[in-house]
Amino acid sequence: MLWSGWGDPGKAADLPEPVRKLLHDVLGVSPRPERAAELGEVRLPAVTLSSPVRAELRGVVGADHVRSDDEARVRHTRGKSTPDLMRMRAGDGSDAPDAVVLPGSHREVLEVLAVCAAHRIAVVPFGGGTSVVGGLVASRQGFAGVVALDLVRLDRLIAVDAESMVAEMEPGLRAPRAERLLAGHGFTLGHFPQSFEYATLGGFAAARSSGQASAGYGRFDDMVVGMTVATPRGTLELGRAPKSAAGPDLRQVILGSEGAFGVITSLRLRVRPAPEERVYEGWRFASFTEGSAALRHLVQQGVVPTVLRLSDETETMVGLARPGEIGASPTGAGCLAIAGYEGFSEVPALRERVAAVLSGLGGVPLGTDPGESWAHGRYSAPYLRDSLLAAGATVETLETAGFWSNLPRLYDAVRLSLHASLGSPLVMCHISHVYGTGASLYFTVVTAQGDDPVGQWREAKRSVNEAIVAAGGTVSHHHGVGRDHREAYATEIGDLGVEILRGIKGRLDPEGILNPGVLVPPGG
Ligand SMILES: Cc1cc2nc3c(=O)[nH]c(=O)nc-3n(C[C@H](O)[C@H](O)[C@H](O)COP(=O)(O)OP(=O)(O)OC[C@H]3O[C@@H](n4cnc5c(N)ncnc54)[C@H](O)[C@@H]3O)c2cc1C
């Protein structure tokens, strides 16, 4: 993973000429004079972790598994939001941990937590490092140091219960390897977020991730049937049946807890048979309103493909729905929807039923070309972000969700807020996840970088968070809370909700060492 950008440097994407021209002519983007910092130029804070504490940590995980070298510290600094990348490109490593600790077992995680609690060291559980909401930045205030707890060594498929279709897997498994291991047993998780190449199972659970095939396979939190969690107070074993009426479901307390309540060291996950058929197709609708109504009817009638998404007019025009062909405007006017089917012999009949409903609601079939092109380029858009940043554009994404009846209001509120903050940005949107009762809206924003691009985006983000909550939406459908959504989340759940969060944290993590500043508002 590129330390100051996204993904495999070998896959870096150059900006097509039409996009450069569009950026310049429409948004006034011009290249920045300063060059991006090299890894060796990143400014890091002095290490505050004492030698005896480092020796204790080495005693737990082994000398090779405690690292304080500059590269390890840089690679565990923040996540992959656009401000994160802009700050790294500017050589700002001020949030770097003092050390990176790599435990090899649940017992070692418990022991590391005990050492850190005894010495008041903040601990940041670290999966793939792809958080886009500031979930990997611990507050140093009041702590003797900060440790990144990298879970990469916890990477085994422990067991497969084929009869129940449940796999026990460790949290440090990155998604592609998890899929390869499951494929050996004929199964899939079916979790394909755009961060698929680098994100881990633990991170998916801790941040309540949702993949591009969520219409068919469900969100990641739907897949979790059990968990083992290491906390500073001991071990929590959760989930002894798929569902239970034995009180509130404590699995739901850990799902979405973003490392602030405990460290997930094992997951029991519902798996599905690996599909034999995969078909993706495109549909055109005259407008976003018409397309949204068609998607709603489809899911409310229970005729649901595995992938279902709809780009608005702007996103369709720019061609972001087919990131491999950005700027190509492949479908002409209107809005492009993608319907994908992953399964077995039922696929042709389901396709026919979907086609009948969509055609009856104004959809025009575009065949499999747009669908296959989307599937082919589905992980390539993040690579374009690096080129856009280098070209002087800020490009960032944000997402929300709401009930169908409120979706138009939410859509307008986000766009209005972004225009008010950023002048005339390019704002694109798609419906990314659908439910019978509502959907998620995923926005991509492109604007010219101001003199202080990080401050410019921080202000825009603060306003848009407020606008989302005021318009009745949730501040996150699948990116989580981190630090960036913490205030808006507190507004969503109210004072009593915040008190509950603080109560749980106080019970599981009395010294407050786990991801301080993330998820739970300080104070109280
Ligand atoms: C280019 C890009 C595309 C993305 N696309 C999507 C998408 O399509 N869908 C989506 O849902 N998200 C997406 N994301 C966001 C991100 O990938 C998800 O939030 C993902 O769940 C994070 O996984 P991770 O392993 O990288 O976790 P990290 O970023 O390492 O951690 C995320 C949070 O979880 C905590 N954590 C990590 N592991 C554990 C553990 N084992 N126990 C307890 N806490 C833990 C961390 O402390 C942190 O607060 C995208 C991000 C990027 C950069």
Side-chain angles (χ1 to χ4, degrees), residues 330-345:
T331 58
C335 292
L336 175 66
I338 302 291
Y341 308 83
E342 298 186 5
F344 299 85
S345 55

Side-chain angles (χ1 to χ4, degrees), residues 35 159 166 207 244 291 412 434 460 492 524:
R35 68 170 176 82
V166 171
S244 162
D412 289 343
V434 288
E492 261 187 69

Side-chain angles (χ1 to χ4, degrees), residues 465 481-491 516-522:
N465 284 352
V481 175
R483 294 172 82 90
D484 301 354
H485 294 160
R486 197 182 60 197
E487 312 313 328
Y489 174 50
T491 309
V518 168
L519 182 77
V520 185

Side-chain angles (χ1 to χ4, degrees), residues 1 6 78-81 123-137 149 151 154 171-174 191-196 198-212 229 254 257-267 379 381-383 385 397 399 433 442 477-480 482 515 518:
M1 169 77 100
W6 179 251
R78 311 188 190 98
K80 295 291 179 188
S81 71
V123 178
V124 182
F126 198 97
T130 68
S131 168
V132 282
V133 293
L136 297 163
V137 183
L149 190 72
L151 298 156
L154 298 182
L173 272 170
R174 290 190 198 284
H191 188 67
F192 306 111
Q194 206 172 39
S195 52
F196 176 78
Y198 293 94
T200 62
L201 302 186
F204 293 148
R208 284 191 187 272
S209 168
S210 197
Q212 293 169 342
V229 187
I254 298 300
S257 64
E258 301 186 25
F261 296 165
V263 182
I264 300 162
T265 57
S266 165
L267 288 150
Y379 304 128
Y383 289 92
R385 177 172 59 163
T397 61
E399 39 85 45
H433 305 271
Y442 186 95
H477 169 265
H478 57 268
H479 283 165
N515 243 350
V518 168

Side-chain angles (χ1 to χ4, degrees), residues 27-53:
L27 299 174
V29 170
S30 44
R32 306 279 301 179
E34 55 295 339
R35 68 170 176 82
E38 303 285 337
L39 195 145
E41 296 168 337
V42 175
R43 299 176 299 282
L44 295 169
V47 171
T48 60
L49 215 57
S50 69
S51 295
V53 171

